[in-house]
Amino acid sequence: MTVVIFGATGMVGKGVLLECLDDPRIERVLLVSRHHVDVGHQKIHEILHQDFFDWAPIQAQLTDLDACFFCLGVSSVGMSESDYLRSTYDLTLGAATTLASMNAGRLTFCYVSGEGTDSSEHGRSAWARIKGKTENALMRLPFKGAYMFRPGYIQPLRGIRSKTRWYQLVYDVFGPFYPVLRRLFPGHVTTTVAIGRAMIQVTAAGYARPILSSDDINELAATRGPMPGKGM
């Protein structure tokens, strides 16, 4: 399979990238980023692109793809609703529409959303409405399949660190207790490894539901093999 990853310089995206590099089903990984990714591998081909609201200059390179793993995202903290809408809905749909047009129903689209996303688009929380609006629009595009990943707490593994300092502080504090969190709140916690493995699995075999909770993500990841800390 050939996949494209958006957001591979971020915590979740880098986790997905590492799983793609290790999985023999993935033959080629196209990375679309503003900056070089600090991972070297023969499977990787990078496209450096600065304007994520204009895909015309690179759309000819976004062909013959089996999957898109869309891991870009920004926090809504401190942002106006209009700015968050542009950075979340407008940016994502621009990329997704381009991919759909260039891959003619062949591509599976996996989108990292979040627990609490509002599919009705009418709730009180602006970020949840906008994420729901984005999900709904993605599922209407002519993809082979579109899967919305709604993780709760995500523990970074394999040496990955968040670029956001206070996020990383949380991970440092709770990381040693992840096995306990997993037992106490199995439906609300997952890892970067599990997200990557689950994305690959839904691309290879599909899934019964288009919206995946942490439970679903962990179940799919387990079909690929044990996660670090769980028998590896």
Side-chain angles (χ1 to χ4, degrees), residues 109-111 113-115 135 146-152 187 195 198-199 201-202 206-221:
F109 195 97
C110 296
Y111 176 62
S113 186
E115 187 174 278
E135 287 187 351
Y147 298 94
M148 310 298 116
F149 282 62
R150 293 185 180 181
I195 292 173
M199 285 187 173
Q201 188 62 25
V202 298
Y207 196 61
R209 297 182 295 279
I211 297 176
L212 288 75
S213 66
S214 292
D215 262 343
D216 299 313
I217 293 167
N218 294 332
E219 176 187 337
L220 276 165

Side-chain angles (χ1 to χ4, degrees), residues 96-97 100-101 103-107 137-145:
T97 301
S101 68
N103 291 276
R106 162 181 174 171
L107 185 137
L138 289 171
M139 289 188 283
R140 289 193 293 266
L141 289 176
F143 292 122
K144 177 181 179 181

